[in-house]
Amino acid sequence: MDEVKVVVAHSERATLRVGDVFLKVDADQARLDAEVEAMSLAPVPTPEILWHKPPVLAIAALPGTTLGRLGGASAGSAAAWAAAGAAIRTLHDAPLPPRPGRAGRGIVALAAELDEECELLVTNGLLPADLVTHNRQVAEAALRPWTPAFTHGDLQIAHVFVDGNEVTGIIDWSEAGQGDALYDLATFTLGHEEHLDDVVAGYGTDIDLDVIHAWWSLRSLLVVRWLSEHGFDPFAPGCEVDVLRSRM
């Protein structure tokens, strides 16, 4: 019998691996429905859906390996990172999905959420005030009008699989929908700034790097407290707190 491996688990959802099958368990039916819908619409390789019986979604494993993970050494050639950039561009150029995604939060609501989170980070003693204040200033550049694109919404490098220099699939689409394309690019390169040029080259169009840097700060500020409260370590080397420090 294949061993059951816990890939990730917290109070909102869990992912298990049994052989070549991944079982995603999510109490939020809308989130699973959004994931299934996004994978059916995305013009890039996605995992095969084996079955879907709420609250579980079963998908097949993808060939290849990821380009790395946040806080770990990055893998893959410059061409592989560029191929990922090209795949992201294909997604962003696709017809819009019907609903907004994680990357589609409005500017006013996002700014209010950011200000509240920054206050809590300092009040609760999680981060020093100067680090939070400076990164809040950097994050301001992301709070600008944008043209909606088909976005993944949680495009961590651990969610993109490659085989050689070819993208074989992108996983975890529960946050997909209409959103800011630069949010995806920033999420993908978070903690791996050394590969940003390769990704942009593959993406194939001019990118406002100040907005990418802003999203690095903004995204990190928003998740540090959540990660700390859900069993993850944003203070680990190369992770979110180091990303914030790198902006100083």
Side-chain angles (χ1 to χ4, degrees):
M1 179 179 291
D2 288 315
E3 181 182 26
V4 177
K5 178 182 178 182
V6 178
V7 179
V8 63
H10 49 77
S11 60
E12 296 180 3
R13 67 190 88 164
T15 301
L16 311 175
R17 180 170 187 168
V18 186
D20 287 334
V21 177
F22 287 87
L23 302 174
K24 303 192 69 174
V25 184
D26 197 323
D28 187 341
Q29 178 60 34
R31 195 155 46 205
L32 279 183
D33 289 343
E35 179 158 11
V36 171
E37 178 185 62
M39 286 195 287
S40 72
L41 296 174
V44 294
T46 61
E48 177 189 0
I49 296 176
L50 302 176
W51 49 268
H52 178 206
K53 185 176 181 180
V56 182
L57 173 66
I59 60 176
L62 288 169
T65 58
T66 67
L67 286 170
R69 60 179 178 82
L70 183 62
S74 59
S77 63
W81 283 85
I88 297 169
R89 176 66 183 275
T90 297
L91 175 66
H92 291 167
D93 285 345
L96 292 176
R99 70 190 80 194
R102 181 69 176 170
R105 287 166 289 175
I107 296 173
V108 174
L110 188 59
E113 180 184 356
L114 179 60
D115 288 339
E116 179 181 3
E117 197 61 37
C118 287
E119 182 178 354
L120 288 171
L121 287 170
V122 175
T123 301
N124 294 345
L126 277 173
L127 294 176
D130 60 338
L131 183 65
V132 172
T133 299
H134 180 78
N135 276 277
R136 174 61 182 87
Q137 293 170 348
V138 173
E140 189 67 27
L143 303 174
R144 86 284 176 225
W146 41 267
T147 300
F150 190 154
T151 54
H152 180 279
D154 190 21
L155 199 61
Q156 305 172 45
I157 59 171
H159 292 164
V160 178
F161 284 71
V162 298
D163 186 0
N165 297 331
E166 178 184 358
V167 174
T168 57
I170 300 175
I171 64 172
D172 284 359
W173 292 83
S174 60
E175 307 289 353
Q178 298 180 27
D180 179 0
L182 297 195
Y183 178 90
D184 272 355
L185 289 172
T187 302
F188 185 65
T189 55
L190 185 75
H192 291 286
E193 186 171 356
E194 71 276 12
H195 291 294
L196 178 58
D197 288 345
D198 298 327
V199 174
V200 170
Y203 195 77
T205 189
D206 290 337
I207 296 296
D208 189 333
L209 296 182
D210 287 340
V211 175
I212 297 290
H213 299 159
W215 271 121
W216 287 343
S217 291
L218 199 160
R219 187 182 187 281
S220 297
L221 287 169
L222 288 182
V223 301
V224 164
R225 188 170 61 90
W226 186 94
L227 291 169
S228 298
E229 293 174 352
H230 286 80
F232 302 98
D233 186 8
F235 293 87
C239 291
E240 285 82 2
V241 175
D242 273 357
V243 169
L244 294 173
R245 290 170 178 153
S246 73
R247 298 297 101 204
M248 297 294 284

